[in-house]
Amino acid sequence: MEINKEEIENILHNNVTNNLICRALETRSGELAKYICGLANTEGGYILIGVERDNGVLKIVGFQLAFDMDIVINVASKKLEGACFYKYGYISMAKENIFVIKVEKSKQRILVDNTHFIYKNNGVGVKKISELNEPPTLFISYTECDTPIVDIIEKKIQEKLRNKVLISRYSRLEYKDSFKGFMNTIQDHDFVLTVVSDTYLKRQACMYEVGEIIKDHHYKDKLLFVVLSENERKYYGENVPEKIGANIYNGAEVKLEYVEFWKNKYNQLKERINNIDDYEATSEAAKELQILGQIYRKDMKEFLEFLSDENGKTFQNLYENDFDELIRWIYPNCNVNIFNMCDSFDDLLSKAIAQLHYVTKTDYNQIALGVKIESHKTGLVVFADDIVEYKQRYRLVVMDGLVAKAYVTGNSIIIGNVKKETDYFCAVVQTNSELVLPIKHGGKVIGVFNSESEERNYYNKGMIEKLSKILENFSNRIIELGYIGNMEQKDIPYVHI
């Protein structure tokens, strides 16, 4: 990992302050060890000695070559606990020497004096070992008109993670000053979720400043864009915007509509400035004109390309996959139970059958559980179903047919054409294909999920994987709520949706 002078020139020339620690003078090995530790525990970055921040602007002040930094760095390295990788050396900038330390992001926790440091706004903050189990923080940036969508996202995250994440929201991103607050939220939060709509793409602060963010690859692991479409209109209620969808996936011509929008803004302001024809009176407006020019000439193009290149996640896809991608973005190895907020059998059964229906999209779905039906006998009873009114519903499962077979054997059953299946027990004449999945906990079958379709060969691998995941989470939660195999039928409510 070499020190790249061009990277340093870019940082100083463009005033890139994220993941950067600047000090006019610092030769204390203990402090440098903390800085290296803090950057390694976040996204990596640079330490520049001989550079200071003057009201937020980077300024080269120089650093004398007389200092033997090899000794200082060697002492600092001995204070670091864990495999930490960094490179250091002097470079010459603007006729001044500065000392540069480039720190690589660590794959493991780095400590100094048994303390976990993290980067925080030109310095480091402390997290003691006892505090490392604090939940991560998620900041959601959006425009106020898209509140109904953000409500859905937040509710789903909270349902799955409960107290495992702290969420804060901000919808009024204005130009300049308040964007500094937005930048701080990215540094102060573990993750930032930005909800992009047509309105969002027409906000000056959003387009100019968020466009600047995506140019910095340090943020790629903590900043996620969710892109809305007209499919989300049904979630807005009465206060629906005239246009919701951010048209970024429909070709160059549609994308140019946003460029044209900002070009018109530019032309309108330029005409006003020309009409006034007074430099002193229009100097501030001239600065804004320059910003508008950069938006339509450069930033909008780069931002839309960034979103189009699979960096923007569609809300529809996230919704259809029950926001699993968002959850795994926050917790990469998380295997959360989506029913954690269900505190009763009826609530759990209702939500489970609704989730299963959402995946199958058929009008015949059942959850049956093993319970005591007589003092000495256990059988299968349907406790939740989603069945259209004109099709037959039943509670007690006859211990013949495919449902009983899956319960006894613990094997999944997929039938593409029930008319050719001898074990099929016909309850609905319209059925052409059937899927029966055992519900297991700890290797033991506790029930079955049954779904039927009027189409032949209806059930596919992807659908079965999603259903199996739902049933796994359902079985974990129903056991937590106190389900046991020899419960009586009256102990569990029946839910029909």
Side-chain angles (χ1 to χ4, degrees):
M1 182 172 56
E2 300 294 331
I3 301 297
N4 187 322
K5 186 176 180 180
E6 291 183 359
E7 287 185 13
I8 306 303
E9 288 176 341
N10 177 65
I11 289 171
L12 295 172
H13 179 73
N14 295 301
N15 207 54
V16 180
T17 57
N18 48 282
N19 296 322
L20 179 71
I21 297 176
C22 297
R23 294 292 181 270
L25 178 65
E26 182 58 79
T27 58
R28 293 172 296 175
S29 58
E31 290 303 300
L32 289 176
K34 294 175 185 177
Y35 297 158
I36 294 170
C37 174
L39 288 169
N41 282 329
T42 48
E43 299 300 320
Y46 283 99
I47 303 167
L48 304 183
I49 311 298
V51 176
E52 64 181 9
R53 292 175 67 172
D54 185 4
N55 291 323
V57 178
L58 300 178
K59 180 180 178 182
I60 300 175
V61 295
F63 185 67
Q64 295 181 17
L65 293 173
F67 285 102
D68 190 343
M69 292 302 291
D70 283 332
I71 296 176
V72 175
I73 295 297
N74 285 337
V75 174
S77 67
K78 294 177 182 178
K79 296 179 178 291
L80 296 167
E81 303 170 34
C84 186
F85 301 96
Y86 54 90
K87 187 80 175 181
Y88 61 91
Y90 284 98
I91 64 170
S92 179
M93 297 284 296
K95 298 182 180 180
E96 297 282 356
N97 293 309
I98 63 176
F99 187 75
V100 179
I101 306 173
K102 182 178 182 180
V103 183
E104 200 171 279
K105 179 180 179 180
S106 177
K107 295 181 179 179
Q108 66 179 90
R109 181 190 302 161
I110 306 299
L111 304 176
V112 172
D113 297 330
N114 201 37
T115 303
H116 180 98
F117 291 90
I118 56 170
Y119 172 79
K120 190 172 184 179
N121 196 20
N122 197 35
V124 292
V126 177
K127 279 191 176 182
K128 295 180 180 179
I129 300 300
S130 60
E131 298 173 339
L132 292 182
N133 290 325
E134 292 179 353
T137 54
L138 171 66
F139 177 82
I140 305 178
S141 173
Y142 62 103
T143 55
E144 193 167 5
C145 64
D146 298 320
T147 297
I149 296 297
V150 179
D151 289 343
I152 292 172
I153 294 173
E154 181 174 6
K155 180 181 178 183
K156 183 56 64 176
I157 293 174
Q158 294 288 17
E159 281 181 358
K160 289 194 168 188
L161 295 179
R162 279 197 159 183
N163 298 323
K164 292 182 179 179
V165 63
L166 298 178
I167 299 177
S168 56
R169 295 162 58 160
Y170 187 61
S171 63
R172 294 180 176 85
L173 183 62
E174 303 296 339
Y175 183 58
K176 291 185 179 177
D177 288 341
S178 60
F179 181 74
K180 293 177 182 177
F182 178 73
M183 286 292 291
N184 286 336
T185 64
I186 294 180
Q187 294 175 350
D188 295 341
H189 288 75
D190 298 298
F191 302 97
V192 177
L193 176 66
T194 305
V195 181
V196 180
S197 62
D198 179 75
T199 304
Y200 198 93
L201 290 174
K202 293 176 180 176
R203 290 285 175 88
Q204 182 169 324
C206 301
M207 288 310 92
Y208 179 74
E209 306 292 5
V210 176
E212 290 298 306
I213 291 176
I214 66 172
K215 297 172 188 175
D216 190 323
H217 297 299
H218 290 300
Y219 289 112
K220 65 182 180 180
D221 293 329
K222 64 190 301 185
L223 182 63
L224 184 71
F225 293 91
V226 175
V227 182
L228 304 186
S229 71
E230 292 303 316
N231 293 328
E232 283 74 79
R233 184 170 294 274
K234 59 193 172 199
Y235 302 115
Y236 279 78
E238 296 180 358
N239 300 319
V240 59
E242 183 178 344
K243 186 177 182 182
I244 298 171
N247 292 330
I248 65 171
Y249 299 116
N250 296 322
E253 185 175 352
V254 177
K255 292 179 186 178
L256 287 175
E257 290 180 5
Y258 293 108
V259 177
E260 185 178 23
F261 172 86
W262 289 107
K263 178 67 161 59
N264 290 338
K265 288 274 189 183
Y266 175 88
N267 289 338
Q268 290 168 10
L269 183 58
K270 183 178 180 181
E271 184 178 354
R272 287 282 179 92
I273 292 172
N274 290 339
N275 289 340
I276 295 173
D277 194 26
D278 186 314
Y279 174 78
E280 187 173 343
T282 61
S283 59
E284 285 300 314
K287 294 177 183 177
E288 183 142 332
L289 184 68
Q290 185 178 6
I291 292 168
L292 291 173
Q294 180 170 329
I295 290 175
Y296 89 79
R297 293 189 184 105
K298 183 180 179 183
D299 291 335
M300 179 57 69
K301 173 178 176 291
E302 291 188 9
F303 187 46
L304 292 179
E305 285 179 356
F306 175 85
L307 292 178
S308 302
D309 191 24
E310 298 183 0
N311 291 298
K313 310 299 180 183
T314 67
F315 176 83
Q316 194 66 23
N317 285 341
L318 290 171
Y319 191 90
E320 289 177 356
N321 290 292
D322 208 38
F323 295 90
D324 277 350
E325 189 169 355
L326 271 184
I327 302 302
R328 299 192 192 287
W329 176 55
I330 299 171
Y331 283 98
N333 300 315
C334 187
N335 182 18
V336 296
N337 190 332
I338 62 175
F339 305 116
N340 273 340
M341 293 191 73
C342 298
D343 294 321
S344 63
F345 286 134
D346 57 346
D347 187 27
L348 175 61
L349 288 163
S350 179
K351 283 187 169 61
I353 198 68
Q355 289 278 344
L356 295 163
H357 164 79
Y358 187 83
V359 176
T360 67
K361 295 181 172 59
T362 70
D363 60 7
Y364 199 96
N365 301 284
Q366 301 169 301
I367 294 175
L369 299 171
V371 292
K372 187 186 295 183
I373 57 176
E374 295 178 8
S375 61
H376 62 285
K377 189 175 182 181
T378 300
L380 270 179
V381 175
V382 174
F383 287 101
D385 60 36
D386 164 42
I387 300 173
V388 70
E389 292 299 328
Y390 67 86
K391 292 186 178 181
Q392 178 184 345
R393 295 205 307 269
Y394 57 85
R395 296 291 312 282
L396 183 63
V397 178
V398 178
M399 293 309 286
D400 288 314
L402 301 176
V403 175
K405 186 176 181 180
Y407 180 65
V408 172
T409 65
N411 297 325
S412 299
I413 298 174
I414 311 162
I415 305 298
N417 183 0
V418 296
K419 304 300 189 292
K420 296 182 178 180
E421 177 59 45
T422 57
D423 289 336
Y424 173 65
F425 181 83
C426 183
V428 178
V429 295
Q430 295 93 339
T431 296
N432 276 300
S433 56
E434 184 171 9
L435 172 69
V436 189
L437 300 177
I439 303 173
K440 299 181 180 180
H441 188 271
K444 181 181 179 181
V445 179
I446 63 173
V448 294
F449 167 66
N450 177 51
S451 180
E452 299 181 13
S453 170
E454 296 181 12
E455 296 182 29
R456 290 185 180 180
N457 302 309
Y458 180 75
Y459 301 97
N460 57 54
K461 181 180 179 182
M463 188 185 299
I464 293 170
E465 288 177 352
K466 292 178 182 179
L467 294 170
S468 298
K469 186 61 181 176
I470 293 171
L471 294 174
E472 178 186 345
N473 290 330
F474 167 78
S475 69
N476 289 337
R477 187 56 182 160
I478 199 169
I479 295 297
E480 290 173 358
L481 290 176
Y483 167 83
I484 54 176
N486 62 351
M487 294 181 75
E488 295 186 7
Q489 182 175 340
K490 63 181 179 59
D491 295 326
I492 304 176
Y494 164 64
V495 173
H496 171 67
I497 64 170

